[in-house]
Amino acid sequence: MLQPITQTSTVHGVQLETQSMAGGSAPSAPTLVFLHEGLGSVRMWRDWPLSLCQQLGCSGLVYSRQGYGQSDPVPNVRGPAVQEGQQRTGRLQPDYMHREALVVLPELLRQRGIEKPVLLGHSDGGTIALLHAASFEVHACIVMAPHVMVEDVSLQAITLAREAFENGALRDRLMPYHANVDCAFWQWNDVWLSDAFRAFDIRQELPRIQAPLLAIQGANDPYGSMAQIDAIAAQAPQTQRLQLPACGHSPHRDHPLLVTQAIIDFLHRLKA
């Protein structure tokens, strides 16, 4: 069995941790690009990307965004936001997912020679996938627990996460997945709980997506409701929705076999 290859890629002066998986017997098959959640990383996906790629006969690319996993940290992550050229320091700004989708991801794909990928994003990664697909050509877009607007339930859960990080066990649970766990947590938590982020809303950008879409949402997700994927379907009518009962914020972890089969069926229908 081929094992993933872990490397680093320098994108706009920032070293990013990447993991690539070789394709199967179909060289024309699109590459799956996995985009992690707000506290995720390459390691936090565990072996699910490799398993999915092997079952599909596709190549795959997983990477940790700046400040996550083994990628370069964000300097002065809780300080004033500063941008010099394409590099940023300090607190994330409300457009951070736009920047990832429109500046960082395109350059990483260019360096890897990946054209028209299948984007597979979870949570923040799902939002990034949608934003990229609205501006660039992709083979398909698969999103799990994405955010296209800010809900009160999301802010309540993120406030509880702050309490768990400062006074509970969350920091210890995240430490194995991030070289700088404080950077990983605070860049995400600070921007989501900022006053400026309350107006975040990408619904008006979704009609530009032409690619096939699969949107998956857990019925018991504390970070978002069915309103998120309902809004995607309202703006992009090609969307196939999948609601999973007894499922929280991570469908691929709560129901790995069901989610894997749904993705395989979705992509096979496109091929047909």
Side-chain angles (χ1 to χ4, degrees):
M1 179 185 298
L2 292 173
Q3 293 301 311
I5 299 172
T6 300
Q7 300 170 308
T8 59
S9 292
T10 302
V11 178
H12 300 307
V14 176
Q15 282 205 333
L16 301 179
E17 173 192 24
T18 67
Q19 192 177 83
S20 56
M21 290 149 283
S25 57
S28 62
T31 300
L32 270 66
V33 177
F34 296 81
L35 305 169
H36 66 74
E37 63 185 302
L39 292 176
S41 66
V42 166
R43 289 184 188 175
M44 199 168 283
W45 284 106
R46 300 173 187 168
D47 62 353
W48 187 70
L50 176 61
S51 173
L52 182 61
C53 287
Q54 288 177 334
Q55 291 182 67
L56 285 165
C58 291
S59 299
L61 175 67
V62 190
Y63 78 99
S64 297
R65 300 196 299 274
Q66 184 178 10
Y68 296 101
Q70 304 303 307
S71 294
D72 282 350
V74 177
N76 194 24
V77 70
R78 306 198 76 185
V82 176
Q83 179 156 341
E84 296 182 3
Q86 295 292 359
Q87 294 189 40
R88 285 184 173 180
T89 61
R91 290 175 184 256
L92 294 186
Q93 294 298 287
D95 69 343
Y96 75 98
M97 288 186 279
H98 284 80
R99 181 177 182 275
E100 193 71 28
L102 305 179
V103 178
V104 178
L105 180 56
E107 175 60 16
L108 178 60
L109 295 177
R110 186 195 67 77
Q111 289 184 16
R112 293 303 181 99
I114 298 173
E115 299 180 355
K116 293 188 63 176
V118 173
L119 299 180
L120 201 166
H122 174 218
S123 191
D124 276 16
T127 306
I128 292 164
L130 292 169
L131 289 167
H132 184 90
S135 293
F136 296 90
E137 192 173 7
V138 300
H139 183 77
C141 187
I142 301 164
V143 295
M144 303 182 294
H147 306 286
V148 299
M149 58 194 171
V150 177
E151 296 182 276
D152 289 339
V153 65
S154 306
L155 300 181
Q156 292 163 7
I158 292 168
T159 300
L160 291 175
R162 175 174 288 198
E163 173 66 21
F165 188 81
E166 291 183 316
N167 301 307
L170 181 57
R171 189 177 188 275
D172 289 340
R173 293 208 310 269
L174 291 173
M175 283 186 70
Y177 301 103
H178 303 287
N180 189 326
V181 68
D182 295 293
C183 178
F185 182 81
W186 289 117
Q187 65 171 339
W188 164 78
N189 196 265
D190 279 343
V191 68
W192 266 88
L193 295 182
S194 66
D195 291 339
F197 196 74
R198 195 66 178 84
F200 179 83
D201 188 332
I202 66 166
R203 283 175 287 184
Q204 73 280 2
E205 302 181 50
L206 301 178
R208 300 203 307 268
I209 300 175
Q210 300 300 309
L213 260 169
L214 173 62
I216 303 171
Q217 179 70 38
N220 306 116
D221 185 351
Y223 288 92
S225 73
M226 281 296 295
Q228 299 288 342
I229 66 171
D230 287 346
I232 296 171
Q235 299 297 324
Q238 75 272 28
T239 303
Q240 298 180 37
R241 297 182 312 141
L242 175 61
Q243 180 181 8
L244 296 176
C247 178
H249 188 56
S250 302
H252 59 298
R253 290 198 283 268
D254 290 353
H255 295 288
L257 297 180
L258 185 59
V259 170
T260 294
Q261 192 58 54
I263 291 171
I264 291 172
D265 291 345
F266 170 69
L267 293 177
H268 281 174
R269 283 195 296 270
L270 299 186
K271 187 184 299 184

